Amino acid sequence: MKSYIKLLMIGLLTATSSCDFLNVVPEGTATMDNAFSTRINAEKFFFSCYNYLPNFANVFTYPAMVGGDEFFWNIDNSGIRERSGSKIVRGQQQSSDPIQNYWDGARDGRNMFIGLRDCNIFLENINKVPDLEQYEMIQWRAEVKCVKAYIHFFLMQLYGPIPIIRGNFAVNAMPEETRVYREPVEEVTAYIVELIDEAMPELMENVDNPIEQMGRITQAAAKAMKAKVLVWAASPFSNGNADYASFVDNRQINLFPVNYDPKKWELAATAIKEAIDVAKYAGHRLYQYNPPGNAQNLSAARKLEYALRGPITDRYNDEIIWPATNSTEELQRYCCPQFYTEGTSVSEVCATLSIVEQFYTYNGLPIDEDPNWDLTRRFETQKAEGALAEWHNDYIGKDEVTAKMNFYREPRFYAYLGFDRGKFATSQSTEPTVIKNRSAETNGYKVEGSHISTGYYVKKLVPNEIAAGTSYTAPRRYSMPIIRLADLYLLYAEALNEVSGPSEQVYGYIDSIRIRAGIPPIREAYANAAQAFRNKPYNQEGLREIIKRERAIELSFEGERFWDLRRWKDAAQYFSESIRGWNYQGTTDLSYYNIVTYLDNRTYNQKHYLWPLKISTLTVNSNLVQNPGW
């Protein structure tokens, strides 16, 4: 048997712990033998493997948050401008010293290959623990295989072809043996699926104790992970992408598949359906809001608002198939308005105007496809009075003036976004607060260090009932979803449409999300669309556009859109758009409601789809090739 390098455990865990159950790093563990000498030590190593998952709730360091086109930040805050995610948005990624370097570990990125090494160490040594029950050893081993699979997947999404780390090198390995190659994405995909399939029978069906086991990988989570891997493999970016037809290594091996393979969508559809079935068997279902005793008299619109935010902010809800265990308290403070002078919210993160415009009208149609919605005058203002005030009673303050684009929008618009003169519930037992976001007002710009720029708060990431005190607003703990059931429903509709076009089954999965959101089913909505758009639901291309929009809205601000736009090859279009919003320095409705461009001339082209490898890394290992364009 090969001899493996003995490493200090504490040396492997230099990064901040990202999970609740990871605050158990071994103390005084000097050798690998000691690390696996008892169940207690082995359990610490087991949890340390989970520690290498990215921090899904960190809006500035998780690539899929600020790095996309949904979030913006306080334009005046110099500290935030220097955060890694903000730099990526401004097109400052580079190959000399990559931002969020998850390959080598630098600039807010962790060295994921150390994580893979730790997973391999665990898998190679867990059978040595003398006081570990056999069933527990089997289960832990299966979970670590899935962690290993996810790390490979995460790296593949960022870098494309990557080395496959099946095992660790022997201590006496020759230098040439350690100079690994990047493997073709099809081989990486196959290896990830292989790991998940191996682990599946040995994973727990469901967690027994959510408080202690939340975030651990179950059968449903593993199946969902496999589904997403195969969707990535079937999507345009990885399936016959002509842009990478000449991307080869020094062995002249093509690192991307050159030809489109429709069977990949069939494989993806099968995997998604299996994931949905396993999730339902484990008790996962679309979220349903059950009002507590003090909220029974809430209006139907307010209950719907809570039902729409609940799948994200209700900590132990059944819709979440795989929850992250990262703390969301800082995220809430960034997104929540300053309700009080002495509030703990910092109000630094906001939604871009582009994503605000993605949301439907109250008729369940895009704003440019609904003939009954005033598209051309959307940036003008109007007063919530008379019938207008009555219709918007739960959404906009009576007799308040706000932008026309804030009127007659779908329920998710009001559930997910906060805006000037819009209502923001601070508890389920009191009247919602009317946000006053103009300069010098209660929630608006007072000092450069703490305000939002675009005028739209990300209400979706603030719990339904935050703790509102007399002079402060305290965050409530919840788990950021890594995968939830609604995500799988929309993926399944997408895969089925790619396989065979529109069908009753495709409509059914999309409509289950739309109906929960309080908007008409697809065909009913499009019967009232402008004439030019009425056939969209009845052809593959049109339905594809609808599904993309459904995902953009339903999964907004959850870190999904960043990956979706890249796998669809749509990122260059959207990530190059200017970031716009209202004039946060305006003191009146006339001065506030003017469109300001906060970030212009954004650069996102073909090379940005794959992140660069550091030049010095390529020098050390000449078998690695740089991603195209860098």
Side-chain angles (χ1 to χ4, degrees):
M1 183 176 179
K2 291 184 178 180
S3 170
Y4 293 95
I5 301 172
K6 295 183 178 181
L7 301 164
L8 289 174
M9 276 292 295
I10 56 175
L12 299 177
L13 300 168
T14 55
T16 302
S17 174
S18 64
C19 299
D20 291 350
F21 52 65
L22 299 177
N23 297 319
V24 287
V25 178
E27 297 180 3
T29 304
T31 67
M32 257 335 98
D33 292 336
N34 193 26
F36 294 96
S37 62
T38 67
R39 182 194 178 281
I40 292 175
N41 285 345
E43 184 179 40
K44 293 173 182 178
F45 205 139
F46 167 62
F47 288 141
S48 76
C49 293
Y50 271 98
N51 193 36
Y52 282 96
L53 296 175
N55 187 337
F56 298 95
N58 192 313
V59 70
F60 289 110
T61 64
Y62 180 52
M65 298 294 265
V66 160
D69 70 332
E70 299 172 287
F71 293 95
F72 196 54
W73 59 86
N74 175 357
I75 195 69
D76 294 321
N77 191 311
S78 59
I80 288 181
R81 285 202 304 271
E82 293 306 306
R83 298 293 296 270
S84 59
S86 306
K87 289 186 174 184
I88 288 175
V89 169
R90 299 203 304 275
Q92 296 179 7
Q93 184 61 282
Q94 55 183 300
S95 56
S96 60
D97 188 14
I99 301 169
Q100 293 184 3
N101 184 349
Y102 283 94
W103 192 286
D104 306 291
R107 304 190 72 181
D108 283 334
R110 305 184 65 186
N111 187 326
M112 288 299 190
F113 292 102
I114 292 179
L116 293 174
R117 180 183 64 185
D118 283 10
C119 289
N120 285 331
I121 289 171
F122 179 88
L123 294 172
E124 292 157 3
N125 290 275
I126 188 60
N127 62 338
K128 299 176 182 178
V129 183
D131 59 340
L132 183 63
E133 295 286 347
Q134 180 73 6
Y135 80 90
E136 206 164 25
M137 185 270 288
I138 291 172
Q139 183 175 299
W140 290 2
R141 184 177 61 193
E143 290 182 49
V144 170
K145 284 182 181 179
C146 289
V147 171
K148 185 179 172 182
Y150 187 85
I151 293 175
H152 277 89
F153 180 45
F154 179 72
L155 287 169
M156 183 173 69
Q157 289 178 103
L158 289 178
Y159 298 99
I162 60 169
I164 295 174
I165 310 301
R166 296 181 182 273
N168 292 334
F169 291 107
V171 69
N172 58 352
M174 300 299 291
E176 57 269 20
E177 293 181 71
T178 65
R179 295 192 184 104
V180 295
Y181 284 91
R182 302 175 68 179
E183 302 298 340
V185 293
E186 287 185 308
E187 292 186 21
V188 178
T189 300
Y191 178 64
I192 295 170
V193 170
E194 174 189 322
L195 280 174
I196 297 171
D197 286 344
E198 285 179 7
M200 267 301 298
E202 299 172 347
L203 293 167
M204 53 184 163
E205 289 184 1
N206 217 333
V207 296
D208 299 320
N209 186 338
I211 295 175
E212 295 181 359
Q213 298 177 323
M214 184 178 63
R216 288 179 56 180
I217 297 171
T218 62
Q219 289 185 352
K223 281 286 189 182
M225 187 194 308
K226 176 181 174 179
K228 301 203 81 166
V229 170
L230 290 175
V231 166
W232 185 269
S235 297
F237 181 72
S238 300
N239 192 3
N241 188 346
D243 295 325
Y244 295 124
S246 59
F247 187 14
V248 299
D249 62 15
N250 61 19
R251 301 168 296 181
Q252 297 305 302
I253 292 177
N254 286 96
L255 298 178
F256 267 81
V258 176
N259 300 314
Y260 173 74
D261 183 359
K263 291 184 178 179
K264 290 182 178 179
W265 276 115
E266 296 177 14
L267 290 173
T270 299
I272 302 166
K273 185 58 167 62
E274 288 177 358
I276 291 171
D277 291 343
V278 170
K280 286 185 174 180
Y281 181 80
H284 296 285
R285 59 177 182 168
L286 292 182
Y287 180 82
Q288 297 177 349
Y289 174 64
N290 296 311
N294 66 339
Q296 295 298 324
N297 295 325
L298 289 175
S299 68
R302 188 66 62 206
K303 289 178 181 178
L304 177 58
E305 178 180 338
Y306 292 152
L308 294 174
R309 283 211 303 279
I312 295 85
T313 61
D314 190 342
R315 191 177 189 192
Y316 298 121
N317 80 82
D318 292 333
E319 184 165 330
I320 300 179
I321 296 171
W322 188 17
T325 57
N326 317 109
S327 172
T328 54
E329 292 185 8
E330 182 181 57
L331 184 63
Q332 292 174 56
R333 290 190 177 100
Y334 278 131
C335 296
C336 192
Q338 296 188 71
F339 288 114
Y340 306 100
T341 304
E342 302 173 14
T344 56
S345 300
V346 292
S347 303
E348 301 280 18
V349 171
C350 48
T352 64
L353 193 59
S354 295
I355 201 67
V356 170
E357 291 181 305
Q358 289 280 316
F359 284 81
Y360 292 136
T361 69
Y362 70 107
N363 291 318
L365 293 167
I367 60 175
D368 58 343
E369 297 178 9
D370 189 341
N372 298 310
W373 197 80
D374 194 353
L375 176 68
T376 57
R377 298 173 60 197
R378 67 189 182 281
F379 297 143
E380 298 177 12
T381 59
Q382 64 185 11
K383 188 176 184 179
E385 58 184 352
L388 205 60
E390 184 177 352
W391 195 97
H392 294 87
N393 180 58
D394 288 284
Y395 306 131
I396 297 173
K398 186 178 180 181
D399 294 328
E400 297 284 3
V401 174
T402 188
K404 292 194 73 172
M405 72 179 301
N406 298 333
F407 288 87
Y408 292 117
R409 302 298 291 272
E410 62 160 309
R412 285 176 297 193
F413 179 91
Y414 302 107
Y416 294 176
L417 299 167
F419 53 88
D420 178 53
R421 271 52 188 179
K423 292 187 176 182
F424 201 122
T426 56
S427 80
Q428 295 167 330
S429 57
T430 60
E431 267 300 302
T433 298
V434 175
I435 296 297
K436 297 187 176 181
N437 204 56
R438 298 164 199 169
S439 181
E441 291 187 325
T442 306
N443 316 111
Y445 169 75
K446 301 184 191 68
V447 295
E448 289 187 351
S450 186
H451 69 87
I452 62 170
S453 298
T454 66
Y456 287 93
Y457 294 93
V458 185
K459 187 196 291 188
K460 184 180 190 179
L461 300 181
V462 179
N464 287 337
E465 184 180 4
I466 57 177
T470 56
S471 62
Y472 69 94
T473 303
R476 288 289 180 91
R477 195 67 180 270
Y478 70 86
S479 305
M480 195 73 178
I482 303 173
I483 307 174
R484 60 185 176 99
L485 192 59
D487 184 359
L488 292 185
Y489 278 15
L490 293 175
L491 284 180
Y492 192 44
E494 179 182 352
L496 290 177
N497 184 56
E498 295 300 328
V499 170
S500 55
S503 69
E504 290 298 325
Q505 198 173 19
V506 175
Y507 298 137
Y509 276 95
I510 302 172
D511 288 343
S512 65
I513 305 300
R514 290 174 63 94
I515 291 169
R516 179 178 69 173
I519 56 176
I522 295 171
R523 288 169 289 182
E524 180 181 330
Y526 271 88
N528 299 307
Q531 188 64 43
F533 302 104
R534 290 186 182 177
N535 286 328
K536 277 184 73 172
Y538 302 103
N539 62 82
Q540 187 182 54
E541 183 177 352
L543 192 53
R544 181 185 296 130
E545 288 184 20
I546 291 171
I547 292 168
K548 287 181 177 182
R549 179 67 69 96
E550 293 289 346
R551 288 187 62 80
I553 299 170
E554 176 64 25
L555 302 171
S556 57
F557 312 114
E558 296 179 48
E560 289 297 327
R561 180 171 168 81
F562 175 84
W563 305 117
D564 278 346
L565 290 179
R566 292 171 75 248
R567 70 180 176 86
W568 292 329
K569 294 183 65 178
D570 291 342
Q573 172 189 346
Y574 290 97
F575 293 174
S576 295
E577 290 182 354
S578 299
I579 303 243
R580 302 165 298 141
W582 301 122
N583 175 25
Y584 68 84
Q585 294 183 330
T587 57
T588 66
D589 59 289
L590 291 177
S591 58
Y592 180 87
Y593 287 108
N594 286 289
I595 298 296
V596 174
T597 298
Y598 289 107
L599 190 61
D600 204 358
N601 300 318
R602 296 176 68 198
T603 301
Y604 197 100
N605 52 38
Q606 180 58 39
K607 78 174 186 178
H608 292 98
Y609 278 94
L610 294 178
W611 285 15
L613 275 63
K614 192 173 183 178
I615 292 174
S616 60
T617 299
L618 302 173
T619 302
V620 172
N621 181 0
S622 58
N623 288 334
L624 296 176
V625 291
Q626 182 63 280
N627 280 325
W630 297 102

